[in-house]
Amino acid sequence: MINTDYKFGEVHNLASQIETSADRVHFKQIFSNDNGGVVLLAFKAGQKLDEHLAPAELMVTVLEGEIVFTMIDKPHTLRSGEFMLVGEGVPHSVMATADSKVMLTKIKA
């Protein structure tokens, strides 16, 4: 069963589905099921997510802005239109160097 607030067959602008906020990093679930899902994240410049473990195989796609994605202590700068893959259980952190919107695609093996 898919969990979503969206209707299948409708067209949406992806980046406009979430806004940045000075108080915290914002998360918005687009859809999820037992095999994973898609979540949007919105960062103001300087906001971060401390190191944590990937809950599934991930595809991190920057829709707007720029982030530094540190994976296993190695920083990677990702800009609008760029993505990287992350394995399940891999430690990582995120720091926004500009106001940014990120799409996180999770796939459980």
Side-chain angles (χ1 to χ4, degrees), residues 50-72:
D50 292 329
E51 186 174 83
H52 57 283
L53 299 178
E57 306 289 331
L58 305 177
M59 180 173 166
V60 179
T61 306
V62 177
L63 304 173
E64 294 179 357
E66 179 180 287
I67 64 171
V68 175
F69 191 95
T70 301
M71 182 171 67
I72 314 174

Side-chain angles (χ1 to χ4, degrees), residues 49-55 90-94:
L49 295 176
D50 292 329
E51 186 174 83
H52 57 283
L53 299 178
V90 172
H92 63 281
S93 62
V94 183

Side-chain angles (χ1 to χ4, degrees), residues 4-15:
T4 185
D5 291 333
Y6 296 89
K7 292 181 182 171
F8 284 77
E10 291 182 350
V11 176
H12 302 275
N13 179 283
L14 192 58

Side-chain angles (χ1 to χ4, degrees), residues 77-92:
T77 300
L78 286 84
R79 295 172 183 86
S80 181
E82 297 179 332
F83 75 91
M84 72 181 301
L85 301 177
V86 181
E88 182 176 5
V90 172
H92 63 281

